[in-house]
Amino acid sequence: MKLSAAFSILLQLRSAIWAGFAPTLSAIVRNPSLLWHPSELSHTFMAHVWKVYGNGADLRGRPAKQALLPENATGVVLDIGADPAKVIKYVALEPNQLMHDELRALAATKGFTEAAGNLLLLPYGAEDTALITSALGGAHSADTLVCITTICSVPEPERTLAALVRDVLKPGGALLFYEHVLSPRADVAWWQRFWTPVWRRAFDGCCLDRPTHVWVERMPGVWKEGRVWGNEGEGEEEEQLFWHRVGHFVKKAD
Ligand SMILES: C[S@@+](CC[C@H](N)C(=O)[O-])C[C@H]1O[C@@H](n2cnc3c(N)ncnc32)[C@H](O)[C@@H]1O
């Protein structure tokens, strides 16, 4: 991998620090106890960075997401980012409560509000499967699970994905994902592993080196059908620290 590509991540880090440093510092001045709570500090930084960059973070992936979600996100959808056309209930899972106001406002532009009863904003992590199941009113309540660049940050991701699919997704329901994952190129994978300890510290646990698509494909006896593909023009030979895979998997009916 060219060094310029391997170190381009530092430019992203610099932009993120530019966006997140001042508001995070001001939050610390208002509430110095944040210094003793690294995960809250990380939430604060990430919320400010995402406010500035979230919308334009991955323009190259927009066509893939637009092709994946509006067509396939139907019924009760757990997560965010889906087109509302066929969605009857939008369950947004977001453990960082500093992002909730923004999510509420965004969901409202698509017609989803708590007052109307078609938006449920849960302050849980994806790993809190029992709490999610209970908030949804029972097991197997979601018609669609949507994961958009989120599994990179979830603790125990393989176990968490398996539990969500087993306990939360309906038989016959769909898992849709768009994630940056471990590259098939050994040199790129080396750099992804190299940067991950720095990157995850800055970005609320985000890891560059997770083979999420492989974990999903390998879930034993779960899928009726499934397909993985990539962004247009993002082939296996690409020198990309953020190398993406898109997936559409349908759970067996029973
Ligand atoms: C890169 S952002 C992507 C947000 C959104 N899906 C999008 O595409 O704009 C990653 C999100 O995952 C959330 N996150 C972090 N840990 C999580 C967890 N354990 N469970 C669910 N979401 C988590 C972060 O708070 C953040 O909002």
Side-chain angles (χ1 to χ4, degrees), residues 46 50 54 65 79-80 93-96 99 124-127 148-150 153-155 204:
M46 182 68 186
W50 206 245
K65 285 183 258 186
D79 211 317
I80 54 165
L93 199 65
E94 180 46 70
N96 186 345
M99 291 179 164
Y124 309 140
E127 64 280 14
I148 307 292
T149 55
T150 291
S153 307
V154 167
D204 212 8

Side-chain angles (χ1 to χ4, degrees), residues 23-61:
T24 305
L25 192 63
S26 128
I28 294 170
V29 171
R30 285 196 309 275
N31 176 14
S33 75
L34 274 177
L35 287 172
W36 281 267
H37 297 95
S39 82
E40 279 179 44
L41 197 59
S42 189
H43 275 9
T44 306
F45 180 75
M46 182 68 186
H48 287 294
V49 172
W50 206 245
K51 203 169 185 169
V52 177
Y53 288 112
N55 218 9
D58 183 23
L59 295 178
R60 191 178 185 185

